[in-house]
Amino acid sequence: MGSNMAECHPVGFKWPMRAKAKGATLIHVDPRFTRTSAMCDVYVPMRAGTDIVFLGGLVNYILENKKYFLEYMINYTNAATLISADFKDTEDNDGFFSGYNAQTRTYDTSTWQYRRGPAPARVPDPAPGPAGATYKPADLATLIANRVPGQPLEDRTLQDPKTVFQILKRHYSRYTPEMVERVCGTPKDLFLRVAQTITERSGKEQTGAFVYAVGWTQHTTGVQLIRTAGMVQLLLGNMGRPGGGIMALRGHATIQGSTDIASLYHVHPGYLNTPSARRPHDTLRDYLLAETEPTSFWSNRPAYMISQLKAWFGGAATDQNDFGYDWLPKITGDHSHLPVFVEMSEGKIKGMILTGQNPATSLNSQFQRKAMQNLEWLVVLDFYETESAAFWKNVAGADPSKVKTEVWFMPAAHIAEKDGSMTQTARTIQWHDKAADPPGQARSDLYLWYHLGKRLKRRYASSTERRDLAIKNMTLDYDPDPSEVAEWKIKDEPSAFKIFREINGYNVQTGAVLNTFADLRADGTTASGSWIYTGMLQTVSGQLVNRTRMTPGKNDGWVSPNWGWAWPANRKQLYNRASADPDGNPWSDRKKYTYWDAAARTWKNDAGDGIDFAGTKAPGTAASPTGVGIAFHSGRDPFLLKTDGKGWLFAPGGLVDGPLPTHYEPWESPVKNLLYKQDRNPVTKVFDVPGNKYNEFAGTQFPHVITTYRLTEHHLSGTMTRWLPWLAELMPDLFVELPPELADEKGIKNGDYVTVTTERGATEARALVTRRLRPFRIDGKKVYQIGMPWHWGYMGIATGDVTNNISSFVADPNVSIHEGKAFTADVRKGRAR
Amino acid sequence: MTTKGMFVDTTLCTGCKACQVACKQWNELPMEDEAAVREHRAFTANSYDNTGHLSATNWRHVKFIEQFSPDRADVRWLMMSDSCKHCEQAGCLEVCPTGALYRTQFGSVDIHQDVCIGCRYCVGACPFGVIEYNGRTGRVNKCILCQDRMETGEGTACAKSCPTASLTYGNVSDLKAMAAARVKQLHAQGKTDAYIYGWDLGNQGVITQGPNKGQAVKDMQPVGGLNVFYLLLDQPGVYGLPTAPQLPQRNMNPSAGVALISAAVLGVTGLAAFRRRRMEAAQSGGGAA
Amino acid sequence: MTTPYVLEPHWANWMLAVEMFVAGLAAGIFFFIALANTTGRKEDREVGAILGFFPAPLMLIAAILLTVDLGQPGRFLNLIFTSPAATERPGPFMLNPNSPMNWGTYVILVFGALTVIPFLDALRHTGRLPFARGLVETLAHDPVGMFVCAALALATGSYSGVLLNVTNLPVWSDTYLQGALYVTFSALGGFAAAGIVADRLRAHETAGAVRTGLMGISLIAAVLLALYIGNLVALGTAGPLVTTMVYLVAPSFWIGAVGLAVLLPLVVVTTGARLRLARVDVSSLAVLGMLVLIGVFAFRWSIMHSALAALGH
């Protein structure tokens, strides 16, 4: 669901096919019948943007029919936890939760909190150090201990109406199979077949998995949507167990690595929040206190942050200058893609460097191309002249003098032309070696940033400006050893391995590589670029071992711990404590995974996976009310990164739009919300700027639900694939898939040119009339589902119009992801011009 | 040397076309028609198939057949990766007048590019429409079962690239056993549509979905057997395959025989024409009109 | 409908249509020459001698067309001498009895060589042969030799039809009659050409034989065509020949092949009628002969392109 795995992850799809050969049932829920649907046992049609109703319907089915895995649910989730008496659900509040501020369009989450017992006794906080050296490592333990809250209160009979269990039941009471049919357009019997199948196949003897991709993320309710699936899996006892869980299919070869090592503005590598001017992050001490969760594994955050600062600034970072924290720039708001381009359109951005990104074909692409005209300079590093590198050709037409931007196009080295590691979608890091020099002047992204950095360092070497200190003081010493580049003609390519080693981490004094993140310290004696990666390089018997190198042909079982190295600590199945019952025994022989060996007093996993738990913490260990970190959790709490060690059916924190997923219609929808008076997510990030007009909600001018998606034959905006002859001919032209019923109404024949329109603009495509798309019946009204791939642009061998001409700037409030999967449009026969 | 071939299990085909691209890459084949792609004339609107058919530069072609009832109750999308079948009795090889087409030590049908004179007779002889004339080189081309890879002990590029092992390369005898087991497994799961096109392994079934629902299907072994053979889920015609492919030589003796008889009749007619004329001339006494 | 084939050839067929006409005509003319030269009558021999000019150059043109049509014309010798790269074939001659294209090459090679006899005889007859006049005259009129030549002529006339039959293309491979039809039209063309020459030479008795021959051969052709079309209709593949406008197949078939080549001579000769069209005496053998030749070419054209039309080319 929310994915087209066979088309978009074709190699990984061999695993579901093998499971199918062994008797697994594959179910595909999607607005379109795709190549994935063709391979699955059951195809379930569903209107784009209604996943929360479908998944909420599953929650409802599980609760109403008592299909939950009771022992798992009571012990491993917060089902029994009591929530604040002031909490009001959307059922009481016309589709809002308690705490909504209509002025600021934000929620105050204080009424969503757990009810807790009394907090432990506190001592006075030690005073901070002087300005510029506020943090004193010796005081850390006391400070954190002072912040340990009271233990959450529970009702293990699950009767109290303020238990999470009862709140859940009430919240999803109207997400019935009938409602699923009305809102999603899914036939009731098909929905029930799915519900029956997943509940029958879950429990002690069997588990099931959900697999998703951007079909779930790219919505204004994307995060909540995914969370609903998490709840289903927690209720069914599928999390942390072999064959269970939720597989997030990431979309590019090492996008997991790119988020792990932070190409996102709001997190540092290892998912440490970026210091923000809007949060109490003024000093290092403030930051550490604000960010460190005293009662989860994140209590170690200071060690990770300090080690990172040591990695970045080396010897310049000491306990006398807050380890360089003050040199870090602080964010002042949302600096994700859409707001940045709004600022660009207002002339506030002078220059841009694009390495492997193509905004000229991104959302509301005309807006973005127009915004780019305000740049004074643009640098593009890519294999081919992308639409962004050539944006000026597109906007200026015949007269380039109309665009003042100076554009630098730099050819990029290809994957086989550079060393490095890749982190794939299951967190497994794999090293790969350079096989050939790039041709001519093509260079890697790493080369660009490294040599740019070196030049900037030289430029700022004698600067005293505060804003230059970070670059001035950063360590940038990755020149390769001669042996590393002996066989290549490019001798100044930075050493990826040295960076790799720094990310892994080392002891500052001895230089020895660290084997585990448990060795990281908050006192400046260790350095590590990203704590989650610590251990991918290890010292074993005095030898340096790269655990991410794969050993082909070596058969080490289905877990394959030697096939690359999964962060953290080579744990393939996260939270695998949950694969054993509260006493530490496997739930069943068939699903035996991690278990407690009472004689040896240690946890074991015969399949070879890492234990995702404190190795010698007995299952019967009581929770310590004053315990810091995971000591606060009992021996029965598998979810280490949560403050209570439990899986969150109800989310008291971390999300800005509600503790429970709630169905809101997509920002543009042809129908109103059948469940609540509040049609849409009240805290959606909207962009009320010229050039971004939204289609009228539930209007008639743009009556069709449109979804955008990918094909196997092309990748993203086609910057690589539409230039490759063998791929260009497989899918040469942009098309829009239309059900024949709609095509007949509009007089459109298969293959005709058609134009798809929204308030933002028009995209021209060829019509592919197919019954794989269908009209839906939404509450009795006929609503057409149409769809377009978005791989095309004006550069390349196979060119075409840009699908994103018609999409808009609108985003999920938690993570700023855009809503590309469900909006509205109209379609007419004929060309755009 | 044991005969090598491929088993194409269409139930595992996701239509990804990795096989099509791997073949082009390994054999360094060009695009079908670059101008058409650049000028937007290449889009076929035929499901997800824009290359249309096998050609001299397209030796593997994935077909897509959508079977959707108007009420969407019966939904199926068939996919099949097509190529040369390397027939045990190969029409192309039998008609080749120069010995350019030949049977390799692996039992496959390969082409001596140095010998081919480009007469295109093989193009008309193949019952499956596989081999094609290459206007640029003046010779013919088709899948050659990666002869160069087989000679170094490797399998075909397409089978190697297939992510779901829908294409499997190996000894034909092993592949037949694998195919038989697979049909059995599918029938046991209720998918009685499955049968083998290429060898008669004794399977019979009934189509369960699509417009031919209810029709019987059974294994077939045309032209002595196909070393690249298929597991199909519907009638061959649905996949664009002939239902009764045969060697063109079936016509040779009958045709030559009838021609011989005609020649004899013509000979007699010719002689009679001169005789009768003569008799006419004699009767009319010289000088006909 | 059972489909023994599925495919889409790409090739320019006009060259082959012309070649088939030219070679078939050479064969048909030589067939007539063989008959005429052995009747013993002086008039026949005169016509036969003049006709002798044509088979050799026609076969030369045919051979050139066949070679030029190849994708690799320079390699045409691979048809006869096994290429060293064709290591599976025992040398030195390339022999594939399963391939009409292969054994047919030998047929036209031998037949082509033999066309030198009537050519030399034509030279002798017109006083242009400075040597071996007696030998040539003997060779050109020896009954056994001419029987052999006639047999090879008929073989040449039929083999390309057999070649088309031994394929998996629609129309071509749907019957067993392709070779028979080809040799019949070959004979038709030969008699038509003979008629033109006989008319020009005012060889009335030979003309009488031509007329009788045309009547008989066109009758055979009519019967064969009826069987042929009937067979195609029964199989459901008649359309590409009898109705399609692509490459003008249907018009050239009905008007040319059926009308001009078969029905016209049949009707004209049987009824003995005098037909005048636009002041042209159609029943004059010269005109009739021209029209029949046009019809024979139309026959070759329509058959050649029917298979392509069937596959949407």
Side-chain angles (χ1 to χ4, degrees), chain B residues 41-121:
Chain B
R41 292 180 284 108
F43 184 71
T44 64
N46 175 16
S47 195
Y48 278 6
D49 175 5
N50 287 299
T51 46
H53 47 76
L54 294 171
S55 76
T57 50
N58 194 23
W59 302 353
R60 184 157 278 283
H61 167 240
V62 181
K63 299 185 180 183
F64 294 82
I65 302 111
E66 295 182 23
Q67 296 178 326
F68 288 73
S69 59
D71 63 0
R72 312 304 200 283
D74 194 346
V75 295
R76 185 159 78 166
W77 201 2
L78 300 172
M79 293 165 211
M80 173 201 153
S81 178
D82 191 27
S83 76
C84 175
K85 322 285 179 290
H86 293 275
C87 315
E88 277 290 297
Q89 293 162 15
C92 60
L93 195 158
E94 296 300 325
V95 301
C96 179
T98 60
L101 281 154
Y102 71 100
R103 182 81 55 184
T104 70
Q105 70 268 46
F106 304 106
S108 56
V109 179
D110 192 3
I111 310 167
H112 286 303
Q113 291 294 330
D114 295 345
V115 178
C116 177
I117 60 173
C119 75
R120 290 103 66 202
Y121 200 19

Side-chain angles (χ1 to χ4, degrees), chain A residues 187-198:
Chain A
K188 192 171 107 170
D189 54 311
L190 257 184
F191 167 76
L192 284 169
R193 184 170 168 197
V194 175
Q196 280 152 13
T197 307
I198 68 170

